[in-house]
Amino acid sequence: MREGNVVLAQPRGFCAGVRRAIGIVERALDLHGAPVYVRKEIVHNHYIVSELEKRGAVFVDSEEEVPQGAVCVFSAHGVSPGVRSAAASRQLEVIDATCPLVSKVHQEAVRFARDGRTILLVGHEGHEEVEGVLGEAPDRIVVIETEDDVQRLGLPNDTPVAVLTQTTLSFDETERVVEALRARFTDLITPGDDICYASQNRQNAVKDLARDNELVLIVGSGNSSNSLRMVEVARDHGAAAHLVPDEQHLEAAWLKGVSSVGISAGASAPEILVDGLVARLAELGLDHVELQRGIAEDVVFSMPGRLADPLTGRVPQTPLAGEVSPAPGGAR
């Protein structure tokens, strides 16, 4: 076997919104017992969904699938007002795990719609987060994705517009779209940077990985927007890059002629999957592991008050790091 280096990105993996969302499902199971219904995947990671299913979470595509009056958790990606109304009509006991940064975009959409502005939402059509924001003002929001979309907009250049963005996009690509909008519209406002701190931090770390390593591997599921953007960022900065849901998806052919590999993980990917990939690379000869110098994240989002302990009234803290808790009996 050959000797080689593996460089682990810092930061990588779980962000505060993901830790909070997973913790909400776990806490709901502790308080209410199984089953607890979750609308859509709580976060976009198949391993996490599978582990929570073992504990008694039931994932559904629609609130209409949840039995009348049952506990229903809304995913971290947020939902539209229509979904909330439908849940209320079914008398569901809703626990909202929407990431606070996504909730901020919802609030901005409501405010700009009330002000009479056309809202240009930069994001991926059909993504759950985009669908939720779109539902706040469907008659005033236009979803765009590329600079070409900006040119195709059938709006006069003096239209009062506001720009919002999906939180998990590539910062560089989004900035190009926003610059094209600024060049076109004379009355344009942006409330600030909607791309979340965790997405930006992980993308910046991946840029450094791509400059220093021939190959970059991003741990994450195929439906994870922020993980896919990290792969794109690595490629844009000169490295070969692949999305790796787990170590079983690693292809030995990718390592041909490679002496160093950078590894990061999307914001919804647990560290146990990174550990598995590192172990597999060691078996293939890349057995010297280094930690990239990077920033440490200390953001914590609090749990909803309704998850307080019924005896003490205290709301449990979301941990800074960790994995989904194992099911009773140690099932993994």
Side-chain angles (χ1 to χ4, degrees), residues 14 18 21-22 25-26 29 36-61 75-77 128 221 223-224 245 268-270 272-273 323-325 327 331-332:
F14 282 177
V18 164
I22 295 170
V25 177
E26 293 181 324
L29 286 164
V36 163
Y37 294 85
V38 184
R39 186 185 182 277
K40 305 290 187 180
E41 293 187 354
I42 185 66
V43 297
H44 284 159
N45 186 270
H46 301 323
Y47 176 88
I48 294 298
V49 169
S50 175
E51 292 299 300
L52 289 173
E53 283 177 332
K54 293 174 185 177
R55 290 202 57 193
V58 177
F59 293 88
V60 297
D61 287 330
S75 81
H77 309 101
E128 289 162 36
S221 292
N223 60 341
S224 167
S268 53
I272 192 171
L273 299 181
E323 308 295 339
V324 60
S325 300
R332 292 296 293 178

Side-chain angles (χ1 to χ4, degrees), residues 165-178 192-196 199-201 203-204 207 229-230 232-233:
T165 67
Q166 183 181 331
T167 63
T168 54
L169 299 179
S170 160
F171 180 81
D172 293 337
E173 288 185 10
T174 303
E175 186 60 24
R176 288 193 288 270
V177 176
V178 173
D193 185 10
D194 290 329
I195 297 176
C196 88
S199 292
Q200 291 186 34
N201 289 346
Q203 289 172 25
N204 289 339
K207 291 176 185 178
R229 302 294 81 75
M230 290 164 69
E232 293 172 359
V233 166

Side-chain angles (χ1 to χ4, degrees), residues 246-257:
D246 56 48
E247 72 273 12
Q248 296 179 8
H249 288 78
L250 175 67
E251 296 186 20
W254 297 342
L255 304 177
K256 186 176 181 180

Side-chain angles (χ1 to χ4, degrees), residues 133-152:
V133 177
L134 186 61
E136 296 288 356
D139 57 335
R140 302 211 64 87
I141 299 178
V142 180
V143 180
I144 59 174
E145 186 170 346
T146 67
E147 294 168 85
D148 289 341
D149 292 339
V150 174
Q151 306 311 317
R152 288 192 287 264

Side-chain angles (χ1 to χ4, degrees), residues 22-169:
I22 295 170
I24 284 173
V25 177
E26 293 181 324
R27 180 63 178 162
L29 286 164
D30 289 341
L31 286 177
H32 300 283
V36 163
Y37 294 85
V38 184
R39 186 185 182 277
K40 305 290 187 180
E41 293 187 354
I42 185 66
V43 297
H44 284 159
N45 186 270
H46 301 323
Y47 176 88
I48 294 298
V49 169
S50 175
E51 292 299 300
L52 289 173
E53 283 177 332
K54 293 174 185 177
R55 290 202 57 193
V58 177
F59 293 88
V60 297
D61 287 330
S62 169
E63 66 283 356
E64 300 294 338
E65 301 175 50
V66 181
Q68 191 97 1
V71 176
C72 179
V73 179
F74 290 159
S75 81
H77 309 101
V79 300
S80 69
V83 169
R84 295 184 186 278
S85 296
S89 70
R90 297 182 62 76
Q91 299 179 308
L92 302 184
E93 186 171 344
V94 169
I95 304 173
D96 193 354
T98 302
C99 174
L101 300 181
V102 175
S103 296
K104 169 179 170 285
V105 180
H106 280 250
Q107 294 161 6
E108 291 165 346
V110 171
R111 174 164 61 92
F112 288 130
R114 187 173 58 239
D115 293 343
R117 289 186 173 268
T118 296
I119 300 165
L120 303 177
L121 176 59
V122 184
H124 301 299
E125 192 88 44
H127 188 277
E128 289 162 36
E129 182 183 328
V130 170
E131 291 296 302
V133 177
L134 186 61
E136 296 288 356
D139 57 335
R140 302 211 64 87
I141 299 178
V142 180
V143 180
I144 59 174
E145 186 170 346
T146 67
E147 294 168 85
D148 289 341
D149 292 339
V150 174
Q151 306 311 317
R152 288 192 287 264
L153 286 169
L155 298 171
N157 292 353
D158 61 353
T159 302
V161 299
V163 182
L164 300 177
T165 67
Q166 183 181 331
T167 63
T168 54
L169 299 179

